Amino acid sequence: MSRLAVIGGTGLNKLVDLTDVYKRVIKTPYGEPSSPLTFGKLNGVDLVFMARHGFGHTIPPHRINYRANMWALREAGATDVLAIAAVGSINRKMEPGALVLPHQLIDYTWGRESTYFEDDLEQVTHIDFTNPYSLKLRAEVRMAMVSADLSLLENAVYGCTQGPRLETAAEIKRLERDGCDLVGMTGMPEAALARELELDYACCAIVVNWAAGLDGDQISMSEIERFAEKGMHQLDKLLKVFIK
Ligand code: HPA
């Protein structure tokens, strides 16, 4: 039986419609996860929620203990992980406020603890990462997007930058030349660690701004907040259908 975990990113520190809620702190060999896990029911279905940046949104992307987070979710019995991530858009078809289901990623991060396979190994292990997101879980989310009447934006390449600063206009042009459609700061190593733990992992990206240089010469934080809220309404719709 599958059990769903939802990782909430910027703008999503809790799932408001959860019932029968309780929290549990989970210890891991990799230290502390970003937050205690929230267990509850959505539409009567059990799920686990984690606030990626902590409940108070205090942990920046490069300081998140991704290894502890994914370990804790598996420890809690999760088999499927839906990762919600705020992103900037480089692709004119993916406007602020939209939900996008990426199918590929490029990792531009550095210095993050990005594998479980490094100490006390009996054998060197290389996971297959040709398709970084679970084909099964993506297909399920895709179906829910269609049923929830959300515009279906899929097949996007997510570029994961180090942050916490936003990019320069020239960096975004480079990402565009590389084939990126979206840019965010938390997709890696999260996706790779999920694969190492054999969790089905998919990303639901919420576009909260045009990436640097695409719309004027500055990115407005108040605009980001406005679009994050719009994206959250769509996410609410999606989750309700997805959970059925
Ligand atoms: N760049 C990187 N990460 C982001 C952005 C962006 O423009 N918007 C939201 N997360």
Side-chain angles (χ1 to χ4, degrees):
M1 236 194 44
S2 64
R3 179 173 206 183
L4 179 68
V6 175
I7 304 181
T10 300
L12 186 68
N13 289 342
K14 63 179 186 180
L15 291 177
V16 275
D17 295 328
L18 274 195
T19 56
D20 302 346
V21 174
Y22 64 95
K23 289 193 175 143
R24 227 176 95 200
V25 175
I26 297 203
K27 294 222 160 74
T28 84
Y30 302 95
E32 275 197 36
S34 295
S35 64
L37 297 185
T38 307
F39 294 78
K41 287 184 195 292
L42 191 64
N43 288 352
V45 177
D46 284 318
L47 67 75
V48 190
F49 177 80
M50 165 173 284
R52 186 190 282 116
H53 297 275
F55 287 128
H57 202 271
T58 51
I59 312 171
H62 65 296
R63 286 276 179 85
I64 290 168
N65 189 339
Y66 295 96
R67 290 199 298 185
N69 284 358
M70 302 315 283
W71 193 271
L73 290 178
R74 191 185 61 167
E75 202 66 16
T79 54
D80 294 6
V81 179
L82 184 60
I84 315 302
V87 297
S89 174
I90 305 173
N91 182 329
R92 291 286 177 198
K93 293 192 192 118
M94 301 171 184
E95 295 186 342
L99 296 191
V100 185
L101 192 59
H103 76 303
Q104 275 295 335
L105 63 78
I106 300 179
D107 187 6
Y108 299 93
T109 66
W110 44 270
R112 300 182 180 189
E113 304 276 13
S114 57
T115 180
Y116 296 107
F117 297 136
E118 57 186 4
D119 294 319
D120 306 322
L121 297 179
E122 279 167 25
Q123 201 183 344
V124 173
T125 306
H126 304 285
I127 53 161
D128 171 65
F129 207 44
T130 312
N131 290 300
Y133 303 111
S134 155
L135 298 179
K136 179 208 84 153
L137 189 57
R138 268 192 90 251
E140 289 169 3
V141 178
R142 184 184 187 282
M143 242 161 37
M145 281 174 107
V146 173
S147 308
D149 247 346
L150 298 169
S151 50
L152 187 62
L153 294 166
E154 51 179 346
N155 299 337
V157 178
Y158 173 116
C160 190
T161 55
Q162 177 72 356
R165 66 166 177 84
L166 294 164
E167 299 71 35
T168 65
E171 285 169 337
I172 291 300
K173 280 198 179 134
R174 174 170 80 133
L175 264 65
E176 190 174 15
R177 285 194 299 276
D178 284 355
C180 295
D181 300 288
L182 305 172
V183 55
M185 302 176 189
T186 55
M188 282 296 283
E190 201 173 83
L193 293 166
R195 180 63 52 81
E196 287 189 354
L197 294 178
E198 299 183 358
L199 298 169
D200 277 298
Y201 176 99
C203 170
C204 180
I206 299 178
V207 179
V208 295
N209 59 284
W210 289 115
L214 266 78
D215 179 30
D217 50 13
Q218 210 174 335
I219 292 174
S220 141
M221 289 305 134
S222 58
E223 287 281 283
I224 287 188
E225 276 166 33
R226 191 160 70 83
F227 285 116
E229 213 174 294
K230 188 170 168 205
M232 286 313 150
H233 287 304
Q234 308 209 58
L235 181 68
D236 258 6
K237 274 207 225 166
L238 172 69
L239 281 179
K240 283 185 185 131
V241 174
F242 182 70
I243 294 286
K244 267 187 200 151

